[in-house]
Every structure is written in structure tokens, then in C-alpha cells.
Amino acid sequence: MNQFLLLGLSMWIITVSTYLIPFCKTAVLLIAMMSAMGVSFGVLDTGGNVLILALWGDKSPPHMQALHFSFALGAFLAPLLAKLALDPTVSVDNHTEPDFLPAALNASSEAASDPLLAAPHDMNLLWAYASIGTYILVVSLLFFALFFMESSRQGKTTASAQQSRRAQYRKALLCLLFLFSFFYIGAQLTYTSYLFSFATTHVGMDQREAAGLNSIFWGTFAACRGLAMLFAGCLRPATMIVLSNIGSLASCLFLVLFDRSPLCLWIATSVYGASMATPFPSVFSWMQQYTTISGKSAAFIMIGATLGTMAIPALIGVLQGQYPALPVVLYACFGSAIFTAVLFPMMYKVATLPLRKGNRKG
């Protein structure tokens, strides 16, 4: 399927779902909208990386870093927009208990006759979703415009030029990349998900300082992805991955050794956020040097990343609950840093094995 058309359709589905979410009055409809967005996000994450590699080839590292910088920038700006949408002066101070109780009783008594869609009571929430949906709609229209402007001849020549590059043990390399993305993304989400709770319960920070830790992580994360757009032109992807692995190992080691030190937590969190910024976009550019990343290959890697976000935080949550005195979250991140640091030399060795000559068997 045409890449521009596929990305345009996926973003159009996200647009419709974003517009309808504030109007959902039943859980089933809300789940359906969120599921449609999840499927479309999967297509967008996979297809975006493949499209960057298909358009720029060996010159893709700065563009790949720019793509993933936009993810970090959106993650930084989204909470600010949510805070504006959920203004506490609108939802808390202006609703007294006598006014709220009759409305709740009427809602429960007329639940059976409620429509599937209705306007939300908080118009700030509606405008927040509408603004994001309109932005995504504009981008989807741009993808459709690119689809109509694209020449089929150019697409065929690009595809044929990329098919000549193929590593000898391509499947083994993809499996190693699957594991790399599984532990890398899983550790990233685990640390950011439990950082607030760990800082308040284990280190003894107050809530404002613990919230600042998340801000410093995502701030250094976004800043380093922005700098990576500049350094990607002079640094090889492998060099950026190695430097990031060293930073992750060092920061996680200090976190484990000085797990109750607030100062160490601040410094190591900022270093850890900076170290986690570049490996994922760099690994796509690095692999493109040895083999062509097709849609199936990128989807396989993204499945590993998604499974990491599902499995590792859930497992660490259970273990942290059973052993509350131990910094299980830090152990998990340190173990993942060791695993990814060991995986990359293995990936490099597999990727650089000499290609087979001819079709000889045995």
C-alpha cells in the first residue's frame, strides 16, 4: 500500500476518534475510540520510521532524530495542554455539594435513556480535544496531498535501489533488535511510570520535588533528541548508541548505589533521560546501513517495543509491591541497561558478517 496514503488514513482515523472522545457517554464507545486510536498509532509509528528511511536512505539519521524529537516535544507539551483543559477553578470550585447530588441522582436514574454521544459539561475539555484533532486533520490532508503528487516511477526506483542491501543473518539481526527495543522502551516507561512513587516513598521527597524529577527526565530527553538532529550529521549511529549505553549504565549504577540520595537521584535522572533519548531512532538508521528495513521489519521491531511497555512495568509493579524495601525499579533499569549494552555488540557482529557468495548450500 502507498505509504503516504496509509499514513494519511491512519491520521484521519485518529482525527475522528479525537473529535468523538469528549462526546462519548458510554464506556463501550470510549473503548472503541481508544482502540481505533491505538491501531492508528501503531501504523503511524511503524510507517513513519519506514518512510524516513525510504525517502533519505543513508542520509536519514538527522531526519530520523527529528521525527523522534517531535515525539518527545509532544510528550512535553501534552501535559501543559491537559492542565489548561482541566482547569481546577472550573471543575472544583464552582460545584457545591447540594448542586452536585441532584445531578448525580438524575444521571443514575436516566442512565438507560442516555444517548451514546452528548456534549461534555466542561467546554475546556472539548476545545482541547478539538484543537488537537484539527491539528492532526491538517497533517492528514498534507499526507493525502503528497499521495496525489507522488510519482509512481520514483517509488519504484527507490524500492529497487534499496533491495540490494541485505545482511547474511537478517532474521537473527531482527530478533536481536526485537529484544533491544523490548528492554530499551520497557525500561524507559518503567522508570518514568514509577519515578514519582519511588521518590516519595523510598527517598522521602515531597510531591512537588518528585514531580520535578519527571520534568527533568523529559526535559533532558527532549533536549538531547533536539541536539541529536545536529550531531547526527557528524556522528555515526553506532557511536551515538554506544555513548547512550555508557550513559545509561553509569546513571543506573549510581542510582542503585545511592538509591536514597536525593541529589544523586536528581543528577542521575537527568543523565538517564539524556542517555535514553537517542538509541531508538539511531538503531533504525544503524540497521539501514546493513539491510533494508521494510514495513514488516519495522512492525516486528515496534511490536517488541510495545510488548516491553506492557510486560516490564507490570512485572516490576508486582515485584515492587512484594519487596517494598528494595529499589526494584532501579534494579530493573540497571538490568535493562546491561542487557542493551551487551546486545548491541552482538547486533554489530551479526550485521557485519560477510555476505554469502552465490547460492551454494551446505
Side-chain angles (χ1 to χ4, degrees):
M1 186 174 180
N2 183 274
Q3 295 170 330
F4 294 123
L5 178 61
L6 181 61
L7 294 179
L9 289 175
S10 65
M11 297 202 73
W12 184 80
I13 295 174
I14 296 174
T15 300
V16 176
S17 302
T18 305
Y19 279 141
L20 292 180
I21 281 176
F23 294 91
C24 292
K25 300 296 290 184
T26 62
V28 175
L29 185 59
L30 181 60
I31 290 173
M33 294 297 103
M34 296 299 295
S35 299
M37 290 184 67
V39 173
S40 301
F41 281 139
V43 174
L44 186 63
D45 287 344
T46 305
N49 291 297
V50 176
L51 182 59
I52 292 292
L53 297 174
L55 290 177
W56 281 281
D58 293 335
K59 298 180 181 180
S60 64
H63 306 284
M64 184 67 70
Q65 296 291 345
L67 172 67
H68 287 265
F69 168 73
S70 68
F71 295 161
L73 183 62
F76 178 76
L77 295 178
L80 301 178
L81 183 59
K83 186 176 292 186
L84 293 175
L86 301 175
D87 189 359
T89 59
V90 176
S91 59
V92 178
D93 298 338
N94 295 336
H95 290 82
T96 58
E97 186 176 356
D99 293 335
F100 174 74
L101 287 178
L105 293 176
N106 291 334
S108 61
S109 62
E110 299 177 359
S113 60
D114 279 346
L116 294 177
L117 297 172
H121 296 290
D122 189 354
M123 296 306 295
N124 289 335
L125 188 67
L126 177 61
W127 285 114
Y129 276 90
S131 60
I132 295 176
T134 303
Y135 170 77
I136 300 174
L137 175 62
V138 172
V139 179
S140 66
L141 294 178
L142 293 176
F143 273 112
F144 288 132
L146 289 173
F147 166 67
F148 289 112
M149 294 169 57
E150 185 191 24
S151 172
S152 60
R153 181 180 178 183
Q154 292 179 354
K156 291 180 181 179
T157 56
T158 302
S160 61
Q162 290 181 345
Q163 286 175 359
S164 60
R165 185 180 302 171
R166 189 176 184 87
Q168 179 179 355
Y169 299 100
R170 186 170 183 272
K171 293 183 179 180
L173 181 59
L174 284 175
C175 290
L176 291 175
L177 280 168
F178 179 94
L179 294 175
F180 184 91
S181 60
F182 177 89
F183 284 98
Y184 165 76
I185 300 296
Q188 175 185 313
L189 187 65
T190 299
Y191 189 75
T192 55
S193 298
Y194 295 107
L195 180 58
F196 181 86
S197 300
F198 174 81
T200 54
T201 59
H202 190 83
V203 184
M205 289 184 172
D206 58 31
Q207 294 185 357
R208 183 171 298 179
E209 289 180 332
L213 285 173
N214 266 316
S215 299
I216 196 67
F217 179 92
W218 288 114
T220 56
F221 184 87
C224 281
R225 280 199 168 173
L227 292 174
M229 292 187 295
L230 304 176
F231 290 107
C234 56
L235 290 178
R236 294 178 178 271
T239 304
M240 301 182 72
I241 295 173
V242 171
L243 292 176
S244 298
N245 287 338
I246 294 174
S248 299
L249 281 172
S251 57
C252 289
L253 178 61
F254 275 92
L255 284 172
V256 171
L257 294 177
F258 308 100
D259 58 292
R260 294 188 180 274
S261 171
L263 178 61
C264 180
L265 189 59
W266 278 101
I267 297 175
T269 297
S270 60
V271 176
Y272 191 51
S275 303
M276 298 294 280
T278 58
F280 196 63
S282 297
V283 79
F284 280 95
S285 301
W286 172 81
M287 186 181 177
Q288 183 71 7
Q289 298 174 353
Y290 302 99
T291 183
T292 302
I293 300 181
S294 62
K296 292 181 180 180
S297 303
F300 185 69
I301 299 172
M302 295 302 298
I303 288 173
T306 308
L307 290 178
T309 62
M310 296 169 60
I312 296 181
L315 177 61
I316 298 306
V318 174
L319 294 177
Q320 187 68 74
Q322 293 180 352
Y323 304 99
L326 298 177
V328 180
V329 176
L330 303 184
Y331 294 158
C333 294
F334 186 48
S336 297
I338 295 176
F339 201 85
T340 52
V342 173
L343 268 177
F344 184 68
M346 297 173 59
M347 291 159 49
Y348 185 83
K349 181 63 176 178
V350 173
T352 54
L353 287 174
L355 293 175
R356 253 180 230 164
K357 295 182 179 180
N359 295 324
R360 294 178 297 176
K361 297 182 179 179

